[in-house]
Amino acid sequence: MKLDAHSLPDDPVQLKRMLLELQQLMDEKLAEKDAQIHELLQVYNAKLAKEYAKKSEKMPGAGDVFNEAEDILDEHDKALLATSASVKKEKAKPKRRPLPAQLPRVEVVVDLDEGDKKCDCCQSPLHKMGESSSEALEFVPAHIKVIKTIRPKYTCRHCEREGIESVVKTALMPATAIPKSIATPSLLSQIIMCKYQFGLPLYRQETVFADIGIELSRQTMSSWMLRCAELLSPLYQRLKEVLLSQAVIHGDETPLNVINADKATSYMWLYCCGDDKPGKGTNIVQFH
């Protein structure tokens, strides 16, 4: 609506009334526009929520279906449920498992002094009514010993007196895993177990042996590992034959970094039986 200055009345009261009417009309228009903008924003936000918000896998009315039993409970049942829910459960105390019975045990008796074995009241001698006991684990570090093999030598004194050449007899050297080495089967199995089962490299084992005064280089242990691989090859092949005869075999690979092969990709493969359960059936795990 256009207003002409010449058409406006000269009465101040009438001008004020026209101004108030115009202000009221503008307020109504602005309120209408704000309502339209708010409605459009709601539609826009709802569309954004539908397109990009997290999706819910709940079915419409699912609460009515799964909560049906709770909805039809009477007041008495609701009171019972509220009472039972308010009861605090006692915290279960952790129970210590007994130590394995097959472990050797050393009994240590902690007794009273002879002077304390008297009644504090009448000074009469006390008698043993029972005992209390507790167990604790003690770790005994591994120890290394030297096996000294002695082979007596024998000769004939009669032949020596008669000037006849005498033959010296001695027992044959017992068979060893690696001839002319200081390694016994127990030492080799310890090195193998530490390296391949517990992941302790040979250079760290070298330090462990040095701490107890034994000089055993990693080069020597490396040659022992190669020799043991040859000795255990028949067992490995037999396990492989049994493994390949199983109905189901699982395999998995792991990339490895190999010295002097930086540009090549090396893998370690692990194979095991499909029914690989300790104590049940065939239990074979092989690395290749």
Side-chain angles (χ1 to χ4, degrees):
M1 179 179 63
K2 285 187 177 183
L3 295 177
D4 188 1
H6 298 286
S7 62
L8 292 176
D10 295 331
D11 186 4
V13 177
Q14 190 176 2
L15 287 174
K16 288 181 179 180
R17 185 174 63 252
M18 292 178 62
L19 182 61
L20 291 175
E21 292 177 355
L22 181 61
Q23 183 178 1
Q24 183 179 2
L25 180 62
M26 293 297 297
D27 292 341
E28 292 177 356
K29 292 291 184 181
L30 291 175
E32 184 180 354
K33 288 184 178 181
D34 289 341
Q36 292 178 353
I37 293 174
H38 182 68
E39 183 179 357
L40 291 174
L41 285 175
Q42 286 184 337
V43 174
Y44 177 73
N45 292 330
K47 187 174 182 180
L48 286 180
K50 184 178 181 181
E51 294 292 334
Y52 302 105
K54 294 182 178 180
K55 302 297 188 298
S56 176
E57 297 182 355
K58 294 182 179 179
M59 296 182 298
D64 299 336
V65 175
F66 293 105
N67 296 332
E68 182 180 7
E70 288 79 0
D71 292 338
I72 63 177
L73 288 176
D74 57 19
E75 296 300 328
H76 178 67
D77 293 334
K78 290 182 179 179
L80 289 177
L81 287 177
T83 304
S84 61
S86 62
V87 177
K88 295 183 178 179
K89 295 183 179 180
E90 294 184 0
K91 187 176 181 181
K93 296 182 179 179
K95 295 183 179 179
R96 180 180 296 173
R97 294 183 179 182
L99 298 177
Q102 64 270 19
L103 293 178
R105 280 167 167 75
V106 177
E107 294 186 355
V108 178
V109 180
V110 182
D111 202 353
L112 294 173
D113 295 334
E114 292 299 327
D116 295 333
K117 295 181 180 180
K118 294 181 181 180
C119 178
D120 295 336
C121 178
C122 62
Q123 300 300 315
S124 299
L126 301 177
H127 72 281
K128 182 179 178 181
M129 58 170 291
E131 63 183 15
S132 61
S133 63
S134 61
E135 293 186 338
L137 277 177
E138 183 179 65
F139 177 75
V140 180
H143 65 280
I144 296 181
K145 59 183 179 181
V146 177
I147 304 297
K148 184 177 181 179
T149 303
I150 300 175
R151 296 185 296 159
K153 297 180 178 181
Y154 298 92
T155 185
C156 179
R157 291 189 180 274
H158 176 74
C159 293
E160 291 177 354
R161 288 194 300 265
E162 298 294 333
I164 303 174
E165 183 179 357
S166 179
V167 178
V168 179
K169 289 186 177 182
T170 185
L172 296 177
M173 187 68 181
T176 58
I178 303 179
K180 298 181 180 180
S181 71
I182 62 172
T184 60
S186 62
L187 178 61
L188 295 173
S189 62
Q190 173 68 17
I191 297 174
I192 292 174
M193 181 181 65
C194 289
K195 176 175 172 57
Y196 296 103
Q197 184 172 354
F198 300 122
L200 189 63
L202 294 180
Y203 73 89
R204 291 186 179 176
Q205 296 193 51
E206 179 182 7
T207 304
V208 173
F209 285 116
D211 290 341
I212 58 178
I214 299 177
E215 295 183 3
L216 193 57
S217 66
R218 71 191 75 173
Q219 291 80 7
T220 300
M221 289 187 285
S222 297
S223 63
W224 288 353
M225 295 300 98
L226 295 175
R227 179 58 179 156
C228 288
E230 297 176 358
L231 294 174
L232 297 175
S233 179
L235 176 60
Y236 179 88
Q237 296 300 329
R238 177 55 184 162
L239 290 174
K240 184 177 180 180
E241 294 175 2
V242 178
L243 180 64
L244 293 178
S245 65
Q246 302 301 310
V248 179
I249 301 176
H250 174 74
D252 192 16
E253 81 281 358
T254 301
L256 293 177
N257 293 327
V258 182
I259 299 176
N260 299 329
D262 296 336
K263 297 182 180 180
T265 303
S266 302
Y267 293 93
M268 176 175 65
W269 288 82
L270 181 143
Y271 301 97
C272 64
C273 301
D275 60 345
D276 185 15
K277 296 180 181 179
K280 295 183 179 180
T282 304
N283 182 20
I284 299 176
V285 178
Q286 280 199 321
F287 292 87
H288 176 66

